[in-house]
């Protein structure tokens, strides 16, 4: 008799998953949520949502943290969806508003790592004056989000520290939303990048992307740039440089390439294309924000990576889609028709190519217009 090991493994996995859920439910039934253990809060692992029916749906969380020499454990707890949705939004808004201040968050984060005096906080956070600090300390003390120990040092109350960490954990999962809000604001204020309130020149987006490839060339990497116009109004710019870095940012699961393509305030003036008379330079993140869609393909480290965006918002993660010994970056984007009424002009691109060739004689430029003619 031949055994189907794959099927047996699948059955075993399903049984283990069912057993884990039963054990978890048993724990929750034996340990009801009380006022005392609600105060034993702590940073959560990824939230688990038990989806059965809308009425029975719940969020479970548990974990532990070592804080200033004390180990605080967050026993398994549950928040039913009906409880969350029935929450007093006025009070919840007050809590979020109280914490929705950068300096207050900095204070709480600082004293969580180490109890500090007022003067130490002023120096640590570069606040300048103690008056500015005590304005925030008064609000945090009054809300029972901060206590003053003997010796004048401030710290978080134990029963508040772990809910605060949970809030930071949830905020960490929403950090990318701030970039996407800025993307929307960029589209609403596109005139700042073009020096005019209307009639934006579509070619400025193309020159901004090409500028990144030229910068790679001037840094000693890559000697070829290709520009390919497509029938649907999109364009591809490709080079044989090093390829945009793909590793994750420090303390983040966001890749470097995603940060470059979504952070419109990224400080890299040399990679920004400034239109004469404009207030701000056009970075590749601005191009992404002003495009209906954008796809980036990166060739480096023996792999081909790809990620897709729509109106500047990632539609996929950074995916490994192939193997290669080549290096470089290809960006395909279609400018937003609501902002750019005209199409790319082939002859104008040819003129620009000649100017670039004169400035960078060691750089080979190839242009193709698949809808009309070649050059």
């Amino acid at each position: 008799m031949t055994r189907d090991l794959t099927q047996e493994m699948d059955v075993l996995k399903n049984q283990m998953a069912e057993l884990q859920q039963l054990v978890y439910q048993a724990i929750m039934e034996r340990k009801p949520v009380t006022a005392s253990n609600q105060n034993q809060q702590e940073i959560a692992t990824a939230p688990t949502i038990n989806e059965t029916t809308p009425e029975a749906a719940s969020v479970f969380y548990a974990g532990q943290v070592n804080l200033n020499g004390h180990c605080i454990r967050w026993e398994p707890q549950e928040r039913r969806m009906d409880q969350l949705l029935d929450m007093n939004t006025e009070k919840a808004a007050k809590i979020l508003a109280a914490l929705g201040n950068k300096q207050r968050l900095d204070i709480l984060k600082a004293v969580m790592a180490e109890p500090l005096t007022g003067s130490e906080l002023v120096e640590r956070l570069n606040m300048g004056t103690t008056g500015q600090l005590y304005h925030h300390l008064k609000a945090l003390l009054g809300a029972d989000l901060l206590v003053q120990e003997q010796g004048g040092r401030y710290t978080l109350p134990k029963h508040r520290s772990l809910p605060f960490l949970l809030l930071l954990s949830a905020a960490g999962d929403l950090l990318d939303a701030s970039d996407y809000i800025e993307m929307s604001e960029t589209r609403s204020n596109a005139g700042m990048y073009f020096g005019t309130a209307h009639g934006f020149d579509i070619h400025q987006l193309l020159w901004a992307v090409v500028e990144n490839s030229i910068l790679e060339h001037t840094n000693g990497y890559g000697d070829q740039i290709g520009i390919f116009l497509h029938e649907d109004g999109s364009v591809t710019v490709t080079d044989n440089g090093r390829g945009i870095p793909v590793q994750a940012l420090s303390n983040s699961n966001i890749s470097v390439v995603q940060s470059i393509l979504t952070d419109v305030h990224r400080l890299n003036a040399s990679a920004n294309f400034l239109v004469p008379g404009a207030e701000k330079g056009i970075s590749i993140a601005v191009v992404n924000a002003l495009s209906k869609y954008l796809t980036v393909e990166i060739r480096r480290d023996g792999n081909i990576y790809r990620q897709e965006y729509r109106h500047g918002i990632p539609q996929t993660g950074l995916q490994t889609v192939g193997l290669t010994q080549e290096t470089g970056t290809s960006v395909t984007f279609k400018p937003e028709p609501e902002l750019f009424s005209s199409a790319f002009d082939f002859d104008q691109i040819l003129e620009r190519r000649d100017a670039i060739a004169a400035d960078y004689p060691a750089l080979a430029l190839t242009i193709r217009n698949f809808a009309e003619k070649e050059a």
Side-chain angles (χ1 to χ4, degrees):
M1 177 179 178
T2 302
R3 298 176 59 185
D4 189 342
L5 297 180
T6 300
Q7 183 179 9
E8 291 181 15
M9 287 297 295
D10 290 339
V11 171
L12 181 60
K13 288 179 181 178
N14 291 334
Q15 291 174 343
M16 288 298 295
E18 293 174 0
L19 178 61
Q20 183 179 19
Q21 183 64 24
L22 289 172
V23 170
Y24 201 90
Q25 289 178 352
I27 292 174
M28 298 309 302
E29 291 172 359
R30 293 181 60 187
K31 186 174 184 64
V33 179
T34 64
S36 60
N37 64 34
Q38 280 182 0
N39 288 335
Q40 286 187 321
Q41 308 286 320
E42 142 153 88
I43 188 169
T45 56
T48 301
I49 300 180
N50 175 25
E51 292 186 295
T52 51
T53 63
E55 295 78 10
S58 298
V59 176
F60 299 93
Y61 43 87
Q64 67 179 26
V65 64
N66 292 315
L67 186 64
N68 297 323
H70 300 283
C71 180
I72 305 176
R73 183 174 182 80
W74 199 2
E75 299 295 340
Q77 301 208 29
E78 174 188 10
R79 292 291 184 273
R80 297 197 315 272
M81 287 298 293
D82 57 350
Q83 292 176 321
L84 295 175
L85 296 179
D86 286 341
M87 183 181 296
N88 186 315
T89 53
E90 182 177 354
K91 289 186 176 181
K94 287 182 179 180
I95 295 170
L96 295 176
L99 295 173
N101 178 287
K102 179 183 181 302
Q103 290 183 325
R104 291 181 187 177
L105 286 176
D106 287 340
I107 291 170
L108 293 175
K109 287 167 58 179
V111 301
M112 173 166 283
E114 176 187 6
L116 298 169
T117 65
S119 59
E120 289 171 337
L121 280 168
V122 170
E123 181 179 358
R124 185 78 57 90
L125 303 179
N126 298 316
M127 285 190 164
T129 64
T130 55
Q132 186 180 19
L133 169 69
Y134 287 114
H135 168 73
H136 296 301
L137 289 180
K138 182 178 179 181
L140 294 173
L141 288 166
D144 192 32
L145 294 172
L146 205 63
V147 294
Q148 191 171 20
E149 298 179 337
Q150 290 184 350
R153 282 183 165 79
Y154 295 93
T155 188
L156 265 74
K158 289 183 179 180
H159 69 285
R160 298 296 193 188
S161 56
L162 295 179
F164 177 65
L165 285 174
L166 176 61
L167 187 62
L168 290 182
S169 178
D173 287 337
L174 297 173
L175 282 180
D176 56 355
S178 64
D179 291 334
Y180 308 151
I181 291 173
E182 290 173 351
M183 287 288 182
S184 178
E185 292 174 347
T186 297
R187 290 194 297 276
S188 299
N189 299 281
M192 295 189 299
Y193 301 93
F194 296 91
T196 178
H198 52 80
F200 306 140
D201 184 357
I202 195 174
H203 299 88
Q204 307 295 355
L205 298 183
L206 176 58
W207 309 148
V209 178
V210 171
E211 190 72 17
N212 281 267
S213 296
I214 292 176
L215 181 63
E216 185 75 348
H217 170 69
T218 59
N219 285 330
Y221 302 95
D223 58 2
Q224 299 177 29
I225 297 177
I227 301 175
F228 304 94
L229 303 179
H230 307 295
E231 294 184 36
D232 66 349
S234 65
V235 61
T236 297
V237 177
T238 185
D239 64 47
N240 63 342
R242 291 167 292 181
I244 302 175
V246 296
Q247 71 271 20
L249 293 170
S250 177
N251 299 321
S252 171
N253 59 357
I254 301 297
S255 66
V256 173
V257 60
Q258 181 169 321
S259 175
I260 291 174
L261 285 167
T262 56
D263 187 355
V264 295
H265 301 300
R266 190 178 181 88
L267 299 177
N268 189 357
S270 59
N272 292 353
F273 180 80
L274 185 62
V275 177
E279 299 178 35
K280 298 183 178 181
I282 302 176
S283 66
I284 196 169
V286 173
V287 174
N288 195 12
L290 302 182
S291 295
K292 184 175 182 179
Y293 67 79
L294 181 147
T295 301
V296 61
E297 184 177 280
I298 300 163
R299 302 172 296 281
R300 63 177 294 154
D301 306 326
N303 295 318
I304 302 174
Y305 305 91
R306 182 178 298 151
Q307 189 170 26
E308 299 177 2
Y309 295 80
R310 190 173 184 85
H311 292 145
I313 299 177
Q315 302 300 296
T316 67
L318 185 63
Q319 301 173 330
T320 303
V321 296
L323 303 175
T324 183
Q325 295 303 313
E326 299 178 352
T327 62
T329 301
S330 299
V331 177
T332 300
F333 67 96
K334 182 176 181 179
E336 175 54 59
E338 294 181 1
L339 296 173
F340 303 92
S341 56
S342 61
F344 290 108
D345 183 272
F346 187 71
D347 294 329
Q348 188 172 339
I349 296 174
L350 289 179
E351 293 178 7
R352 184 76 177 185
R353 181 194 65 175
D354 294 339
I356 293 174
D359 292 335
Y360 306 96
L363 182 61
L365 280 84
T366 301
I367 303 177
R368 294 288 186 270
N369 186 345
F370 295 110
E372 298 180 8
K373 48 188 175 182
E374 297 185 355

